[in-house]
Amino acid sequence: MTGPRYTPLAAALPATVPFVGPETQERAMGRPFAARLGANENVFGPSPLAVEAMARAARDVWMYGDPEVHDLRAALAAHHGTTPAHVTVGEGIDGLLGYLVRLLVGPGDAVVTSDGAYPTFNFHVAGHGGVLHRVPYRGDAEDPEALVARAAQVGAKLIYFANPDNPMGSWHDGAAVARMVEAVPEGSLLVLDEAYVDLAPPGTAPGLDPDDPRVIRMRTFSKGYGMAGLRVGYALAAPGLVAAFDKVRNHFGVGRIAQAGALAALADQPHLAQVRDRVAAARAEIARIGAAQGLAALPSATNFVTLDCGGDGAFARAVRDGLAARGVFVRMPFVPPHDRCIRISAGRPEDLAALEAALPGAMAAARG
Amino acid sequence: MTGPRYTPLAAALPATVPFVGPETQERAMGRPFAARLGANENVFGPSPLAVEAMARAARDVWMYGDPEVHDLRAALAAHHGTTPAHVTVGEGIDGLLGYLVRLLVGPGDAVVTSDGAYPTFNFHVAGHGGVLHRVPYRGDAEDPEALVARAAQVGAKLIYFANPDNPMGSWHDGAAVARMVEAVPEGSLLVLDEAYVDLAPPGTAPGLDPDDPRVIRMRTFSKGYGMAGLRVGYALAAPGLVAAFDKVRNHFGVGRIAQAGALAALADQPHLAQVRDRVAAARAEIARIGAAQGLAALPSATNFVTLDCGGDGAFARAVRDGLAARGVFVRMPFVPPHDRCIRISAGRPEDLAALEAALPGAMAAARG
């Protein structure tokens, strides 16, 4: 008896996963983190109205969610001034990226991203046999001109561009993004990952023609809306592309509680505004805590701050590990030169107090 | 500006979806169904302890769920007398079937199923370019011997077999399933969909070696546990196959509320036992209501009863549509000769009262 006959592609895929969760580290350490500031979760949490809606929906969870996600798509369309035919909802941006890559990318197809950008996108491209071309950042920001130039050069089907960027927190204004869309080469599709845009300065999101076939925008309820564990993302694109998702998506994948929670969260824009204020205050506090230890905060349009540890990757990894040993979960960029930094999510005062208490020891340990 | 460059496979896929939800019909009718008995949802609902756990988790939903699904996998392993390395959890059986097909099936690869069995499995096979070979039922039951024989003949990578069966409600005992596993041809993998097995007579689930490389079992919290809208399914298989899911799955796809709800539901086996009793009573009541109109109930090991309308497909469709027009949502098998039947999910007394009130009119209308 032999095992299953995998496809050649599946057989060749590595067993690695994009991220190790903090729970895995906690199990290894035998205790929970005192502050959970590594996954860019929004510790300020969802709207209380969304929490109520989810609890109510839990009693009705014997019913499948609406596979057309009608009410949420209608609300999102109204929110964005477009139509439901321009909106598809999926199991987080991760899920939507998987469907999108599957629709466009087959073995050998070219895809362009920035070197050090979102690993889960790369996971999906590899998973479908695509060939990833990595463009360097320009300093600490993704480089729109270089991305589209490389796409033209390699005939890329997809160009991944996050604005604001993760893991560096940098951003381009909407006008620059609109120029990038104009420069997308024929035959390429721009994946504009706007996961963090709800937390960015006004004007970061470009005004785009919703029927523009050159771009698909990804949004999420995980960051600004504080519901990472609910798994609701959505994409805004021309109706033809939106309809194509129906060919491959898990039609009942966005469940009843997820739809109810997202709908209620979207309706509570005052809560989102409050989150924005609290995130801004937390960013300033993280910068202050870092500065006290000689670490420079990079400007951020997100709910995290990237701190330059002033050394190399090994040094920053030591700082990160020292924080973990002291009960503070943070992450860091994967590739040089960005791996000189650690990345700290906005936290409540008590979370940042834990950070402030842990950082000097972590720095001292890293230094020697 | 042209649109995205889809893969040839994606471009060729039809825009059809496996199921239209009752909400779509309700929107078209302009009013909700009085009784929702078409999707084999479990109207008796989840354990109250699971509802509490989901409501609690809603407050913590700012955190991603554990991507390793550690606690739930450990509990499932204990429940089934195996190890967490034998368990993978996904976004419902639908999600797991999608991953499994993707891992094994490429363009042209042969897959065997029963003609009239689960359309979502067929959706995934088509979505990955597989070639589906359909074996007739033997009477109203899937035919294990014919399925494995056809698999040997066509060199199938996958054999889909649901026990109990949907949409007919029939079943084979565990000994027959174990014999089928022994007969799986070299190079084929049996997908044993046990979505309804929690509601079946004792002995329906075979005792299998968890390391057997010839079979993967699919289970769900959607049916017996009453949480279809939560989207939690799991698969039991040899560790190598379980590990392969990590190469392609949406690692954060099973969220925080989903994990908490499933864990609490699994722990409340007395609730499941109560559901079993209520489902059995409802099946008897549906049979009685059908018999009063001259419709014969097929034996069922599930939470639904398939009623033989005594005519052809057109007649049964008319009965189904007549029930819908009278506020009762039911579904029916897709292919002859099974499409002589309608399929009615177990309901509460008030749901079945609505069915009893609507059926005579629906029958009269169908008779013309």
Side-chain angles (χ1 to χ4, degrees):
Chain A
M1 294 186 296
T2 57
R5 285 184 288 156
Y6 300 105
T7 66
L9 175 58
L13 288 176
T16 53
V17 302
F19 287 105
V20 174
E23 292 83 2
T24 304
Q25 292 181 58
E26 290 175 334
R27 286 188 288 270
M29 298 189 301
R31 58 189 162 82
F33 284 115
R36 185 170 161 128
L37 301 173
N40 297 342
E41 295 159 329
N42 174 354
V43 68
F44 306 116
S47 158
L49 300 175
V51 173
E52 265 175 49
M54 290 183 277
R56 261 197 316 276
R59 294 194 290 271
D60 288 336
V61 82
W62 61 271
M63 287 182 271
Y64 286 103
D66 173 13
E68 295 184 3
V69 200
H70 176 275
D71 295 353
L72 178 57
R73 284 171 59 227
L76 288 166
H79 183 73
H80 290 290
T82 183
T83 81
H86 293 85
V87 185
T88 187
V89 178
E91 302 93 335
I93 289 180
D94 286 0
L96 291 166
L97 288 173
Y99 295 134
L100 179 67
V101 171
R102 179 174 159 198
L103 284 169
L104 270 70
V105 177
D109 284 340
V111 175
V112 166
T113 188
S114 301
D115 190 20
Y118 195 44
T120 304
F121 178 74
N122 304 352
F123 168 80
H124 290 308
V125 172
H128 290 281
V131 176
L132 203 61
H133 299 267
R134 291 178 170 85
V135 171
Y137 281 54
R138 177 190 286 253
D140 292 324
E142 296 191 41
D143 186 340
E145 291 80 9
L147 286 163
V148 296
R150 181 70 69 89
Q153 189 189 343
V154 300
K157 282 184 158 182
L158 282 175
I159 309 167
Y160 178 86
F161 175 66
N163 193 55
D165 172 69
N166 173 25
M168 302 309 285
S170 54
W171 71 104
H172 297 273
D173 66 21
V177 179
R179 282 194 303 275
M180 182 182 186
V181 172
E182 290 303 321
V184 167
E186 181 73 26
S188 291
L189 177 71
L190 177 65
V191 189
L192 177 57
D193 183 343
E194 298 185 317
Y196 293 96
V197 84
D198 297 314
L199 302 161
T204 304
L208 296 176
D209 175 359
D211 290 307
D212 195 317
R214 297 170 297 187
V215 60
I216 181 169
R217 309 173 82 147
M218 301 277 185
R219 301 286 185 102
T220 184
F221 286 89
S222 296
K223 304 300 176 185
Y225 292 102
M227 306 195 295
L230 195 62
R231 305 286 67 216
V232 187
Y234 61 100
L236 302 168
L241 178 52
V242 163
F245 279 78
D246 280 340
K247 295 178 170 189
V248 298
R249 71 186 180 92
N250 185 1
H251 287 268
F252 291 87
V254 179
R256 197 154 193 101
I257 299 174
Q259 294 186 34
L263 194 58
L266 184 69
D268 192 353
Q269 292 294 317
H271 180 79
L272 178 59
Q274 201 177 72
V275 164
R276 268 190 216 108
D277 291 345
R278 298 181 75 176
V279 164
R283 283 196 303 247
E285 177 68 359
I286 294 168
R288 185 192 67 73
I289 292 168
Q293 300 301 318
L295 309 186
L298 275 56
S300 170
T302 68
N303 73 330
F304 60 86
V305 175
T306 303
L307 291 179
D308 188 334
C309 293
D312 61 4
F315 183 74
R317 278 187 286 280
V319 175
R320 176 198 63 188
D321 294 345
L323 286 172
R326 288 162 181 81
V328 177
F329 167 53
V330 305
R331 285 195 176 126
M332 59 180 291
F334 295 97
V335 300
H338 304 140
D339 66 353
R340 72 189 188 279
C341 302
I342 57 173
R343 195 195 69 179
I344 303 178
S345 308
R348 296 162 297 196
E350 59 267 37
D351 302 311
L352 300 188
L355 171 68
E356 185 164 25
L359 190 56
M363 289 296 293
R367 286 197 184 105
Chain B
M1 295 186 296
T2 56
R5 285 186 287 158
Y6 300 105
T7 66
L9 176 58
L13 289 176
T16 52
V17 302
F19 287 105
V20 175
E23 292 82 3
T24 304
Q25 293 181 57
E26 290 175 333
R27 286 188 288 270
M29 297 190 302
R31 59 191 161 81
F33 284 115
R36 186 171 161 127
L37 301 173
N40 297 343
E41 295 158 330
N42 174 354
V43 68
F44 307 116
S47 158
L49 300 174
V51 173
E52 265 175 49
M54 290 184 277
R56 261 198 316 277
R59 293 194 289 271
D60 289 335
V61 82
W62 62 270
M63 288 182 272
Y64 287 102
D66 173 13
E68 295 185 3
V69 200
H70 177 274
D71 294 354
L72 178 57
R73 284 170 59 226
L76 288 167
H79 181 75
H80 289 291
T82 182
T83 81
H86 293 84
V87 184
T88 187
V89 177
E91 302 93 335
I93 288 180
D94 285 1
L96 291 166
L97 288 174
Y99 296 132
L100 179 66
V101 171
R102 178 174 160 197
L103 284 169
L104 270 71
V105 178
D109 284 340
V111 175
V112 167
T113 187
S114 300
D115 189 20
Y118 195 44
T120 303
F121 178 73
N122 303 352
F123 167 79
H124 290 307
V125 172
H128 290 281
V131 176
L132 203 61
H133 299 266
R134 293 179 168 86
V135 171
Y137 281 55
R138 176 190 286 255
D140 293 323
E142 295 190 41
D143 186 340
E145 291 80 9
L147 287 164
V148 297
R150 182 69 69 87
Q153 190 188 343
V154 299
K157 281 184 158 181
L158 282 175
I159 309 167
Y160 177 86
F161 175 67
N163 193 54
D165 171 69
N166 174 24
M168 302 309 285
S170 54
W171 72 105
H172 296 272
D173 66 20
V177 179
R179 282 194 302 276
M180 182 183 187
V181 173
E182 290 303 321
V184 166
E186 180 73 25
S188 292
L189 177 70
L190 176 65
V191 188
L192 177 57
D193 183 343
E194 297 185 318
Y196 293 96
V197 83
D198 296 314
L199 301 161
T204 304
L208 297 176
D209 175 357
D211 290 307
D212 195 318
R214 298 170 296 187
V215 60
I216 180 169
R217 308 173 83 149
M218 300 278 184
R219 302 285 186 103
T220 183
F221 286 90
S222 295
K223 304 300 178 185
Y225 292 101
M227 305 195 295
L230 195 63
R231 306 284 69 214
V232 187
Y234 61 100
L236 302 168
L241 178 53
V242 163
F245 279 79
D246 280 341
K247 295 178 168 188
V248 297
R249 71 186 180 94
N250 185 0
H251 287 268
F252 291 87
V254 179
R256 199 154 192 101
I257 299 174
Q259 293 186 35
L263 194 59
L266 183 69
D268 192 354
Q269 291 294 316
H271 178 80
L272 179 59
Q274 203 177 72
V275 164
R276 267 190 217 107
D277 290 346
R278 298 181 74 177
V279 164
R283 282 196 304 248
E285 177 67 0
I286 294 169
R288 185 193 67 73
I289 291 168
Q293 300 301 318
L295 309 186
L298 275 56
S300 170
T302 68
N303 73 330
F304 60 86
V305 175
T306 302
L307 291 179
D308 188 335
C309 293
D312 61 5
F315 183 74
R317 278 187 286 280
V319 176
R320 176 198 62 188
D321 295 343
L323 286 172
R326 289 162 181 80
V328 178
F329 167 55
V330 305
R331 284 196 177 126
M332 60 180 291
F334 294 97
V335 300
H338 304 140
D339 66 354
R340 71 188 190 280
C341 302
I342 57 174
R343 195 195 69 179
I344 302 177
S345 307
R348 297 162 297 196
E350 58 267 37
D351 302 311
L352 300 187
L355 171 69
E356 185 164 24
L359 190 56
M363 290 296 293
R367 286 195 183 106

